[in-house]
Amino acid sequence: MRADLVPDDLWERVAPLLPPAPERRRRHPGRLRVPDRIALAGVLYVLRTGVAWRDVPAETVGCSGVTAWRRLRDWTEAGVWPRLHADRLTELRRADLLDLDDCAVDGSHVRAPKGGITSAHRPSIGPAPAPSTT
């Protein structure tokens, strides 16, 4: 694993938030689990380079892209990222480094099926129907 992918200070913040590894089976234990730090390196590699998960170089990162993706999925389901975000905001507030006077909020990630709920009439943006010729 490249050392610059997961610096020590980042790992110290993320590691306590990660869920514990599942217990290995006794009879057919399968492959050894890739360490969480290496899986995080795979996730960060994809985020930094923009490559597809299948194109993650296992020799550089230390695990396959599929392994990194699965771990990202597991961590997302466990709520790691909102907790990391909240911890970071708390840390910035304590250090008086968080200034919310100048901030922007983007709500484009919120779904609005069929335009959302509205009571106002919305005019059609399609072409007007052709007049009848009969």
Side-chain angles (χ1 to χ4, degrees):
M1 175 185 85
R2 287 184 7 206
D4 63 329
L5 286 174
V6 184
D8 291 335
D9 61 333
L10 174 63
W11 179 244
E12 289 168 6
R13 288 184 178 136
V14 174
L17 304 174
L18 299 178
E23 203 171 302
R24 291 184 75 195
R25 296 181 304 230
R26 290 181 183 225
R27 187 154 189 213
H28 302 286
R31 291 184 175 190
L32 286 175
R33 180 180 167 91
V34 171
D36 287 337
R37 188 169 184 166
I38 292 177
L40 180 60
V43 171
L44 293 176
Y45 184 85
V46 169
L47 292 174
R48 289 180 181 169
T49 62
V51 301
W53 291 104
R54 67 178 176 273
D55 296 331
V56 171
E59 306 81 33
T60 304
V61 176
C63 69
S64 71
V66 174
T67 298
W69 177 84
R70 285 184 185 136
R71 205 68 61 87
L72 173 64
R73 178 198 60 200
D74 296 344
W75 294 338
T76 301
E77 289 173 359
V80 170
W81 311 120
R83 289 195 319 259
L84 178 64
H85 185 238
D87 287 353
R88 186 68 180 137
L89 288 175
T90 302
E91 185 179 321
L92 290 171
R93 281 189 188 107
R94 282 188 191 137
D96 200 27
L97 295 173
L98 187 63
D99 181 16
L100 294 178
D101 289 337
D102 300 316
C103 67
V105 177
D106 181 9
S108 62
H109 66 282
V110 178
R111 290 188 60 213
K114 298 185 179 180
I117 299 172
T118 180
S119 59
H121 174 71
R122 287 176 285 160
S124 173
I125 59 171
S132 176
T133 57
T134 59

